[in-house]
Amino acid sequence: MSYQALSSVVVPLSAAPLWCDAREHGLRGDGIANDQPALADLVDRLGEAYAADGRPRVIHCPPGTYSIRDAGTVWRSGVSLVGAGPAATRFVLSNAGNRADPTPLAFWTTVQHGASRERHIADCAFVDFEIDGSGVALTDYSYLAKGLGLQYVVRGVFRNLYIHHTGATGLGCDFLQDTVVDGVVAVGCGRLDNGVQMGGAGIGIGIGGWGAIERCTITNCVTLANGTNGIFLELQKDNWTPPRGYRIVGCHSQANRFGISDWGADGLVVSACTLVDNLEAGFDISANGTAGVAGRGGILSDCVIDRNVRDGVSVGNTPGPYTVRGNRISGNGAYGYHQHDLGRGYPGPAHDIAIDGNDFWDNGLDAIRVDRPMVDLSITGNRIRNNGRRCAPATTGGGESVRYGRRSVTDLAARWPSDGHRGKVLRVGAHFAVVTGNTDSELSLAPLRPDSTTAWNEDVPPPGAAYELPAAPAVRAGITLNAAVDAATVSGNRIRDRDGHTQTHGLWVTDRGECVSCRVEGNDLTGNTVAGLRIDTPPSGGHWPPGHTDPDRRRTHGPPGAG
């Protein structure tokens, strides 16, 4: 055959190589050339080959900086993208030539491409590379400004990725079946999100598209300073069944708005995670997501939930059940565990919540606070000590002794109790900030948002400006029941203030609390600063220590009107 005839032969798609070196197929990796068109062409070619013969292909990108400009790549089944490791293989996203395009590295979505159960993508892996989204700017926020944004994925693998400073969620993939997310580090993602818009997380997984079961495990991931959540699961439609099958194991979420959020799963397992320094809560169960459906039936176990600016565990508007077991919940600015009404989601009482075998200590207010009706609540076997650290009285100051920084306030004339102002809102005229802790003369302040270098809603106040800090609540109990509770069990808990003199009571039933047919027995309430038990509303039925159902004794365990 002549050379001319050979040159006209078209290699069949099924002969496309199983392993491709990206630089042999048009990608430069020099940080200068736009590699997006060559990547898109190669993905299309290999995707067609997979469709023809069912054999997955791999694109290997050697060390280099691959510039992806002004358009995302529509992904295909059977195509994997593999680098030489984060920092070695870098994909740098930018859209200076098309500010209307959110420019994810790879996407396949319902709205843009018709993704569905029938039109899913399968057998794809994204492994060993970095995505830098800092070069994407948008006139209007778009939840598509992700690092990776794939929907309806089967047998997907996301492993050893470093995704940072994307406009929206870093790894924002939905409806994952038989999929593993492992060793993903997401930092500073959601930088264009105002904190309440869709997405904006380090890792965000939309759920429910496959029905009642979606098999996905998220392991060994790190999420730091992302705009909304470190990791969240979010039911996408309110008429879908909350799916089972999701697990989050061995992850670290720090300095996000929320650490990990369950916004609509059934039976989510969260285990062996560290949830620290988050601005709203370490772990959040609520209906804050798109569908307005809270998680239920989950298990939170063996985690360290520490030094979050407000609550350690925040639970709102779930029907239940849920189990919170074997965790360290400590040093949080407000409550260790807070059951409250967030205004959206299930309107009735939460059923079958179990808070068992946890270690609560050093939280700013009550260790466990119930502000929403509950049925069959179980609080058993917890160790609760030295909470109520927000004990300092109201105070004001100003003048020559006072100086303000971006994340601190110093008053050399002050003599504050250590961490006595933790969790308070500091006000300086129209300026405000939230206190995370204090020494005798210096306040540490939380960042205004996860990626902020300042704590203040406005400019840093001038030296000497007058400030005010509110009073602490008078009653700060180990367990507070401030709503109707029916058929609860509170048993086998050790509740004390060993040496801090800040936790005033062991168990407090407020004048808004109502205990019907509850069993309160076998608790050790000795050693609290004021009293072990305070009952402002007499219980109705059930089993209590002798005498505590007598209305005449309702205020013998604390000062009248305290709280």
Side-chain angles (χ1 to χ4, degrees), residues 186-222:
V187 178
C189 298
R191 60 182 174 79
L192 301 180
D193 193 305
N194 65 11
V196 297
Q197 292 167 308
M198 294 175 62
I203 299 172
I205 310 298
I207 63 176
W210 291 103
I213 296 180
E214 293 180 356
R215 298 173 294 273
C216 178
T217 301
I218 303 169
T219 59
N220 305 318
C221 294
V222 175

PDB file of all heavy atoms in Angstrom, residues 186-222:
ATOM      1  N   ALA A 186     -10.007  20.316  50.173  1.00  0.00           N
ATOM      2  CA  ALA A 186     -10.729  21.452  49.588  1.00  0.00           C
ATOM      3  C   ALA A 186     -10.532  22.663  50.490  1.00  0.00           C
ATOM      4  O   ALA A 186     -10.918  22.645  51.659  1.00  0.00           O
ATOM      5  CB  ALA A 186     -12.205  21.131  49.432  1.00  0.00           C
ATOM      6  N   VAL A 187      -9.950  23.716  49.948  1.00  0.00           N
ATOM      7  CA  VAL A 187      -9.571  24.891  50.736  1.00  0.00           C
ATOM      8  C   VAL A 187     -10.082  26.165  50.056  1.00  0.00           C
ATOM      9  O   VAL A 187      -9.857  26.372  48.857  1.00  0.00           O
ATOM     10  CB  VAL A 187      -8.038  24.976  50.890  1.00  0.00           C
ATOM     11  CG1 VAL A 187      -7.645  26.237  51.667  1.00  0.00           C
ATOM     12  CG2 VAL A 187      -7.492  23.739  51.570  1.00  0.00           C
ATOM     13  N   GLY A 188     -10.770  27.002  50.817  1.00  0.00           N
ATOM     14  CA  GLY A 188     -11.162  28.314  50.328  1.00  0.00           C
ATOM     15  C   GLY A 188     -12.141  28.295  49.181  1.00  0.00           C
ATOM     16  O   GLY A 188     -12.230  29.278  48.432  1.00  0.00           O
ATOM     17  N   CYS A 189     -12.888  27.223  49.029  1.00  0.00           N
ATOM     18  CA  CYS A 189     -13.879  27.159  47.948  1.00  0.00           C
ATOM     19  C   CYS A 189     -15.143  27.922  48.360  1.00  0.00           C
ATOM     20  O   CYS A 189     -15.385  28.177  49.533  1.00  0.00           O
ATOM     21  CB  CYS A 189     -14.199  25.710  47.623  1.00  0.00           C
ATOM     22  SG  CYS A 189     -12.774  24.762  47.034  1.00  0.00           S
ATOM     23  N   GLY A 190     -15.946  28.299  47.356  1.00  0.00           N
ATOM     24  CA  GLY A 190     -17.118  29.114  47.636  1.00  0.00           C
ATOM     25  C   GLY A 190     -16.770  30.565  47.894  1.00  0.00           C
ATOM     26  O   GLY A 190     -17.533  31.294  48.516  1.00  0.00           O
ATOM     27  N   ARG A 191     -15.663  31.031  47.336  1.00  0.00           N
ATOM     28  CA  ARG A 191     -15.218  32.401  47.641  1.00  0.00           C
ATOM     29  C   ARG A 191     -16.136  33.452  47.023  1.00  0.00           C
ATOM     30  O   ARG A 191     -16.138  34.617  47.471  1.00  0.00           O
ATOM     31  CB  ARG A 191     -13.784  32.611  47.160  1.00  0.00           C
ATOM     32  CG  ARG A 191     -13.585  32.427  45.698  1.00  0.00           C
ATOM     33  CD  ARG A 191     -12.140  32.589  45.247  1.00  0.00           C
ATOM     34  NE  ARG A 191     -12.035  32.257  43.844  1.00  0.00           N
ATOM     35  CZ  ARG A 191     -12.385  33.082  42.862  1.00  0.00           C
ATOM     36  NH1 ARG A 191     -12.834  34.296  43.136  1.00  0.00           N
ATOM     37  NH2 ARG A 191     -12.272  32.700  41.601  1.00  0.00           N
ATOM     38  N   LEU A 192     -16.948  33.090  46.010  1.00  0.00           N
ATOM     39  CA  LEU A 192     -17.900  34.044  45.427  1.00  0.00           C
ATOM     40  C   LEU A 192     -19.290  33.910  46.029  1.00  0.00           C
ATOM     41  O   LEU A 192     -20.184  34.688  45.701  1.00  0.00           O
ATOM     42  CB  LEU A 192     -17.976  33.847  43.907  1.00  0.00           C
ATOM     43  CG  LEU A 192     -16.662  34.027  43.135  1.00  0.00           C
ATOM     44  CD1 LEU A 192     -16.890  33.801  41.643  1.00  0.00           C
ATOM     45  CD2 LEU A 192     -16.056  35.406  43.381  1.00  0.00           C
ATOM     46  N   ASP A 193     -19.482  32.937  46.892  1.00  0.00           N
ATOM     47  CA  ASP A 193     -20.768  32.704  47.554  1.00  0.00           C
ATOM     48  C   ASP A 193     -20.905  33.682  48.722  1.00  0.00           C
ATOM     49  O   ASP A 193     -19.966  33.889  49.484  1.00  0.00           O
ATOM     50  CB  ASP A 193     -20.821  31.262  48.064  1.00  0.00           C
ATOM     51  CG  ASP A 193     -22.202  30.826  48.487  1.00  0.00           C
ATOM     52  OD1 ASP A 193     -22.808  31.509  49.327  1.00  0.00           O
ATOM     53  OD2 ASP A 193     -22.665  29.785  47.993  1.00  0.00           O
ATOM     54  N   ASN A 194     -22.086  34.276  48.878  1.00  0.00           N
ATOM     55  CA  ASN A 194     -22.273  35.225  49.977  1.00  0.00           C
ATOM     56  C   ASN A 194     -22.557  34.541  51.309  1.00  0.00           C
ATOM     57  O   ASN A 194     -22.808  35.198  52.320  1.00  0.00           O
ATOM     58  CB  ASN A 194     -23.389  36.225  49.648  1.00  0.00           C
ATOM     59  CG  ASN A 194     -24.761  35.563  49.519  1.00  0.00           C
ATOM     60  OD1 ASN A 194     -24.957  34.397  49.860  1.00  0.00           O
ATOM     61  ND2 ASN A 194     -25.721  36.320  49.004  1.00  0.00           N
ATOM     62  N   GLY A 195     -22.524  33.214  51.321  1.00  0.00           N
ATOM     63  CA  GLY A 195     -22.743  32.452  52.544  1.00  0.00           C
ATOM     64  C   GLY A 195     -24.088  31.782  52.622  1.00  0.00           C
ATOM     65  O   GLY A 195     -24.273  30.843  53.400  1.00  0.00           O
ATOM     66  N   VAL A 196     -25.048  32.232  51.819  1.00  0.00           N
ATOM     67  CA  VAL A 196     -26.383  31.628  51.839  1.00  0.00           C
ATOM     68  C   VAL A 196     -26.833  31.190  50.451  1.00  0.00           C
ATOM     69  O   VAL A 196     -27.925  30.652  50.296  1.00  0.00           O
ATOM     70  CB  VAL A 196     -27.426  32.594  52.442  1.00  0.00           C
ATOM     71  CG1 VAL A 196     -27.101  32.898  53.887  1.00  0.00           C
ATOM     72  CG2 VAL A 196     -27.512  33.886  51.635  1.00  0.00           C
ATOM     73  N   GLN A 197     -26.014  31.395  49.424  1.00  0.00           N
ATOM     74  CA  GLN A 197     -26.380  30.975  48.077  1.00  0.00           C
ATOM     75  C   GLN A 197     -26.118  29.480  47.902  1.00  0.00           C
ATOM     76  O   GLN A 197     -25.479  28.829  48.734  1.00  0.00           O
ATOM     77  CB  GLN A 197     -25.584  31.792  47.053  1.00  0.00           C
ATOM     78  CG  GLN A 197     -25.994  33.258  47.021  1.00  0.00           C
ATOM     79  CD  GLN A 197     -25.021  34.131  46.253  1.00  0.00           C
ATOM     80  OE1 GLN A 197     -23.821  34.102  46.507  1.00  0.00           O
ATOM     81  NE2 GLN A 197     -25.531  34.932  45.330  1.00  0.00           N
ATOM     82  N   MET A 198     -26.617  28.919  46.799  1.00  0.00           N
ATOM     83  CA  MET A 198     -26.453  27.500  46.531  1.00  0.00           C
ATOM     84  C   MET A 198     -24.972  27.152  46.390  1.00  0.00           C
ATOM     85  O   MET A 198     -24.207  27.887  45.774  1.00  0.00           O
ATOM     86  CB  MET A 198     -27.203  27.106  45.251  1.00  0.00           C
ATOM     87  CG  MET A 198     -28.709  27.239  45.339  1.00  0.00           C
ATOM     88  SD  MET A 198     -29.491  26.901  43.754  1.00  0.00           S
ATOM     89  CE  MET A 198     -29.010  25.191  43.482  1.00  0.00           C
ATOM     90  N   GLY A 199     -24.593  26.018  46.947  1.00  0.00           N
ATOM     91  CA  GLY A 199     -23.218  25.559  46.797  1.00  0.00           C
ATOM     92  C   GLY A 199     -22.291  26.270  47.758  1.00  0.00           C
ATOM     93  O   GLY A 199     -22.620  26.554  48.899  1.00  0.00           O
ATOM     94  N   GLY A 200     -21.091  26.568  47.303  1.00  0.00           N
ATOM     95  CA  GLY A 200     -20.135  27.298  48.117  1.00  0.00           C
ATOM     96  C   GLY A 200     -19.420  26.457  49.150  1.00  0.00           C
ATOM     97  O   GLY A 200     -18.859  27.009  50.104  1.00  0.00           O
ATOM     98  N   ALA A 201     -19.381  25.154  48.979  1.00  0.00           N
ATOM     99  CA  ALA A 201     -18.785  24.251  49.961  1.00  0.00           C
ATOM    100  C   ALA A 201     -17.448  23.713  49.469  1.00  0.00           C
ATOM    101  O   ALA A 201     -17.072  23.889  48.308  1.00  0.00           O
ATOM    102  CB  ALA A 201     -19.732  23.083  50.252  1.00  0.00           C
ATOM    103  N   GLY A 202     -16.762  23.032  50.361  1.00  0.00           N
ATOM    104  CA  GLY A 202     -15.582  22.299  49.947  1.00  0.00           C
ATOM    105  C   GLY A 202     -15.980  21.072  49.133  1.00  0.00           C
ATOM    106  O   GLY A 202     -15.570  20.891  47.983  1.00  0.00           O
ATOM    107  N   ILE A 203     -16.810  20.228  49.749  1.00  0.00           N
ATOM    108  CA  ILE A 203     -17.358  19.040  49.087  1.00  0.00           C
ATOM    109  C   ILE A 203     -18.869  19.085  49.273  1.00  0.00           C
ATOM    110  O   ILE A 203     -19.365  19.099  50.401  1.00  0.00           O
ATOM    111  CB  ILE A 203     -16.790  17.746  49.689  1.00  0.00           C
ATOM    112  CG1 ILE A 203     -15.267  17.695  49.503  1.00  0.00           C
ATOM    113  CG2 ILE A 203     -17.450  16.514  49.072  1.00  0.00           C
ATOM    114  CD1 ILE A 203     -14.597  16.542  50.240  1.00  0.00           C
ATOM    115  N   GLY A 204     -19.601  19.133  48.182  1.00  0.00           N
ATOM    116  CA  GLY A 204     -21.064  19.182  48.244  1.00  0.00           C
ATOM    117  C   GLY A 204     -21.659  18.109  47.353  1.00  0.00           C
ATOM    118  O   GLY A 204     -21.362  18.051  46.160  1.00  0.00           O
ATOM    119  N   ILE A 205     -22.498  17.264  47.947  1.00  0.00           N
ATOM    120  CA  ILE A 205     -23.086  16.132  47.220  1.00  0.00           C
ATOM    121  C   ILE A 205     -24.600  16.284  47.220  1.00  0.00           C
ATOM    122  O   ILE A 205     -25.244  16.203  48.274  1.00  0.00           O
ATOM    123  CB  ILE A 205     -22.695  14.784  47.867  1.00  0.00           C
ATOM    124  CG1 ILE A 205     -21.184  14.695  48.093  1.00  0.00           C
ATOM    125  CG2 ILE A 205     -23.211  13.633  47.005  1.00  0.00           C
ATOM    126  CD1 ILE A 205     -20.353  14.746  46.847  1.00  0.00           C
ATOM    127  N   GLY A 206     -25.185  16.513  46.049  1.00  0.00           N
ATOM    128  CA  GLY A 206     -26.631  16.458  45.910  1.00  0.00           C
ATOM    129  C   GLY A 206     -27.083  15.011  45.890  1.00  0.00           C
ATOM    130  O   GLY A 206     -26.446  14.163  45.257  1.00  0.00           O
ATOM    131  N   ILE A 207     -28.178  14.725  46.591  1.00  0.00           N
ATOM    132  CA  ILE A 207     -28.586  13.330  46.770  1.00  0.00           C
ATOM    133  C   ILE A 207     -30.051  13.137  46.390  1.00  0.00           C
ATOM    134  O   ILE A 207     -30.815  14.086  46.286  1.00  0.00           O
ATOM    135  CB  ILE A 207     -28.341  12.864  48.222  1.00  0.00           C
ATOM    136  CG1 ILE A 207     -29.201  13.672  49.203  1.00  0.00           C
ATOM    137  CG2 ILE A 207     -26.867  13.006  48.575  1.00  0.00           C
ATOM    138  CD1 ILE A 207     -29.081  13.198  50.648  1.00  0.00           C
ATOM    139  N   GLY A 208     -30.409  11.876  46.169  1.00  0.00           N
ATOM    140  CA  GLY A 208     -31.793  11.498  45.930  1.00  0.00           C
ATOM    141  C   GLY A 208     -32.129  11.125  44.503  1.00  0.00           C
ATOM    142  O   GLY A 208     -33.197  10.578  44.246  1.00  0.00           O
ATOM    143  N   GLY A 209     -31.253  11.409  43.554  1.00  0.00           N
ATOM    144  CA  GLY A 209     -31.581  11.162  42.151  1.00  0.00           C
ATOM    145  C   GLY A 209     -31.722   9.701  41.782  1.00  0.00           C
ATOM    146  O   GLY A 209     -32.423   9.356  40.826  1.00  0.00           O
ATOM    147  N   TRP A 210     -31.030   8.813  42.534  1.00  0.00           N
ATOM    148  CA  TRP A 210     -31.108   7.386  42.237  1.00  0.00           C
ATOM    149  C   TRP A 210     -32.196   6.668  43.039  1.00  0.00           C
ATOM    150  O   TRP A 210     -32.363   5.460  42.902  1.00  0.00           O
ATOM    151  CB  TRP A 210     -29.768   6.711  42.505  1.00  0.00           C
ATOM    152  CG  TRP A 210     -28.683   7.098  41.547  1.00  0.00           C
ATOM    153  CD1 TRP A 210     -27.665   7.958  41.780  1.00  0.00           C
ATOM    154  CD2 TRP A 210     -28.519   6.640  40.212  1.00  0.00           C
ATOM    155  NE1 TRP A 210     -26.856   8.074  40.677  1.00  0.00           N
ATOM    156  CE2 TRP A 210     -27.360   7.271  39.684  1.00  0.00           C
ATOM    157  CE3 TRP A 210     -29.234   5.757  39.387  1.00  0.00           C
ATOM    158  CZ2 TRP A 210     -26.910   7.044  38.392  1.00  0.00           C
ATOM    159  CZ3 TRP A 210     -28.778   5.544  38.096  1.00  0.00           C
ATOM    160  CH2 TRP A 210     -27.633   6.172  37.606  1.00  0.00           C
ATOM    161  N   GLY A 211     -32.891   7.394  43.900  1.00  0.00           N
ATOM    162  CA  GLY A 211     -33.936   6.747  44.684  1.00  0.00           C
ATOM    163  C   GLY A 211     -33.504   6.484  46.107  1.00  0.00           C
ATOM    164  O   GLY A 211     -32.715   7.224  46.699  1.00  0.00           O
ATOM    165  N   ALA A 212     -34.008   5.417  46.690  1.00  0.00           N
ATOM    166  CA  ALA A 212     -33.901   5.180  48.131  1.00  0.00           C
ATOM    167  C   ALA A 212     -32.505   4.804  48.594  1.00  0.00           C
ATOM    168  O   ALA A 212     -32.217   4.906  49.792  1.00  0.00           O
ATOM    169  CB  ALA A 212     -34.888   4.092  48.552  1.00  0.00           C
ATOM    170  N   ILE A 213     -31.638   4.343  47.695  1.00  0.00           N
ATOM    171  CA  ILE A 213     -30.280   3.962  48.098  1.00  0.00           C
ATOM    172  C   ILE A 213     -29.274   4.530  47.096  1.00  0.00           C
ATOM    173  O   ILE A 213     -29.395   4.325  45.887  1.00  0.00           O
ATOM    174  CB  ILE A 213     -30.115   2.433  48.186  1.00  0.00           C
ATOM    175  CG1 ILE A 213     -31.015   1.860  49.276  1.00  0.00           C
ATOM    176  CG2 ILE A 213     -28.659   2.058  48.463  1.00  0.00           C
ATOM    177  CD1 ILE A 213     -30.924   0.357  49.450  1.00  0.00           C
ATOM    178  N   GLU A 214     -28.284   5.251  47.632  1.00  0.00           N
ATOM    179  CA  GLU A 214     -27.149   5.724  46.847  1.00  0.00           C
ATOM    180  C   GLU A 214     -25.892   5.344  47.606  1.00  0.00           C
ATOM    181  O   GLU A 214     -25.677   5.809  48.732  1.00  0.00           O
ATOM    182  CB  GLU A 214     -27.233   7.244  46.632  1.00  0.00           C
ATOM    183  CG  GLU A 214     -28.401   7.651  45.754  1.00  0.00           C
ATOM    184  CD  GLU A 214     -28.520   9.155  45.530  1.00  0.00           C
ATOM    185  OE1 GLU A 214     -27.733   9.924  46.117  1.00  0.00           O
ATOM    186  OE2 GLU A 214     -29.416   9.545  44.766  1.00  0.00           O
ATOM    187  N   ARG A 215     -25.071   4.515  46.998  1.00  0.00           N
ATOM    188  CA  ARG A 215     -23.915   3.937  47.692  1.00  0.00           C
ATOM    189  C   ARG A 215     -22.689   4.809  47.442  1.00  0.00           C
ATOM    190  O   ARG A 215     -22.093   4.779  46.361  1.00  0.00           O
ATOM    191  CB  ARG A 215     -23.679   2.511  47.206  1.00  0.00           C
ATOM    192  CG  ARG A 215     -24.864   1.576  47.507  1.00  0.00           C
ATOM    193  CD  ARG A 215     -24.688   0.208  46.862  1.00  0.00           C
ATOM    194  NE  ARG A 215     -24.726   0.281  45.416  1.00  0.00           N
ATOM    195  CZ  ARG A 215     -25.854   0.230  44.686  1.00  0.00           C
ATOM    196  NH1 ARG A 215     -27.029   0.128  45.286  1.00  0.00           N
ATOM    197  NH2 ARG A 215     -25.788   0.275  43.368  1.00  0.00           N
ATOM    198  N   CYS A 216     -22.311   5.583  48.481  1.00  0.00           N
ATOM    199  CA  CYS A 216     -21.184   6.502  48.338  1.00  0.00           C
ATOM    200  C   CYS A 216     -20.490   6.654  49.676  1.00  0.00           C
ATOM    201  O   CYS A 216     -21.145   6.827  50.715  1.00  0.00           O
ATOM    202  CB  CYS A 216     -21.668   7.861  47.835  1.00  0.00           C
ATOM    203  SG  CYS A 216     -20.342   9.093  47.666  1.00  0.00           S
ATOM    204  N   THR A 217     -19.159   6.609  49.651  1.00  0.00           N
ATOM    205  CA  THR A 217     -18.353   6.784  50.853  1.00  0.00           C
ATOM    206  C   THR A 217     -17.373   7.930  50.655  1.00  0.00           C
ATOM    207  O   THR A 217     -16.684   7.997  49.630  1.00  0.00           O
ATOM    208  CB  THR A 217     -17.587   5.495  51.187  1.00  0.00           C
ATOM    209  OG1 THR A 217     -18.522   4.428  51.394  1.00  0.00           O
ATOM    210  CG2 THR A 217     -16.754   5.666  52.443  1.00  0.00           C
ATOM    211  N   ILE A 218     -17.325   8.820  51.638  1.00  0.00           N
ATOM    212  CA  ILE A 218     -16.413   9.964  51.640  1.00  0.00           C
ATOM    213  C   ILE A 218     -15.434   9.744  52.782  1.00  0.00           C
ATOM    214  O   ILE A 218     -15.835   9.698  53.949  1.00  0.00           O
ATOM    215  CB  ILE A 218     -17.186  11.278  51.828  1.00  0.00           C
ATOM    216  CG1 ILE A 218     -18.240  11.438  50.725  1.00  0.00           C
ATOM    217  CG2 ILE A 218     -16.236  12.472  51.836  1.00  0.00           C
ATOM    218  CD1 ILE A 218     -19.230  12.558  50.976  1.00  0.00           C
ATOM    219  N   THR A 219     -14.162   9.578  52.458  1.00  0.00           N
ATOM    220  CA  THR A 219     -13.181   9.212  53.488  1.00  0.00           C
ATOM    221  C   THR A 219     -11.928  10.077  53.392  1.00  0.00           C
ATOM    222  O   THR A 219     -11.503  10.502  52.318  1.00  0.00           O
ATOM    223  CB  THR A 219     -12.752   7.732  53.350  1.00  0.00           C
ATOM    224  OG1 THR A 219     -12.181   7.523  52.045  1.00  0.00           O
ATOM    225  CG2 THR A 219     -13.925   6.797  53.521  1.00  0.00           C
ATOM    226  N   ASN A 220     -11.330  10.311  54.561  1.00  0.00           N
ATOM    227  CA  ASN A 220      -9.983  10.895  54.654  1.00  0.00           C
ATOM    228  C   ASN A 220      -9.850  12.228  53.937  1.00  0.00           C
ATOM    229  O   ASN A 220      -8.781  12.559  53.395  1.00  0.00           O
ATOM    230  CB  ASN A 220      -8.934   9.915  54.092  1.00  0.00           C
ATOM    231  CG  ASN A 220      -8.994   8.559  54.768  1.00  0.00           C
ATOM    232  OD1 ASN A 220      -9.145   8.477  55.985  1.00  0.00           O
ATOM    233  ND2 ASN A 220      -8.900   7.500  53.986  1.00  0.00           N
ATOM    234  N   CYS A 221     -10.908  13.021  53.948  1.00  0.00           N
ATOM    235  CA  CYS A 221     -10.883  14.312  53.268  1.00  0.00           C
ATOM    236  C   CYS A 221     -10.632  15.438  54.266  1.00  0.00           C
ATOM    237  O   CYS A 221     -10.934  15.319  55.458  1.00  0.00           O
ATOM    238  CB  CYS A 221     -12.203  14.551  52.536  1.00  0.00           C
ATOM    239  SG  CYS A 221     -12.487  13.389  51.170  1.00  0.00           S
ATOM    240  N   VAL A 222     -10.104  16.541  53.778  1.00  0.00           N
ATOM    241  CA  VAL A 222      -9.848  17.735  54.577  1.00  0.00           C
ATOM    242  C   VAL A 222     -10.548  18.910  53.905  1.00  0.00           C
ATOM    243  O   VAL A 222     -10.366  19.146  52.708  1.00  0.00           O
ATOM    244  CB  VAL A 222      -8.342  18.031  54.693  1.00  0.00           C
ATOM    245  CG1 VAL A 222      -8.107  19.354  55.417  1.00  0.00           C
ATOM    246  CG2 VAL A 222      -7.628  16.898  55.413  1.00  0.00           C
TER     247      VAL A 222
END
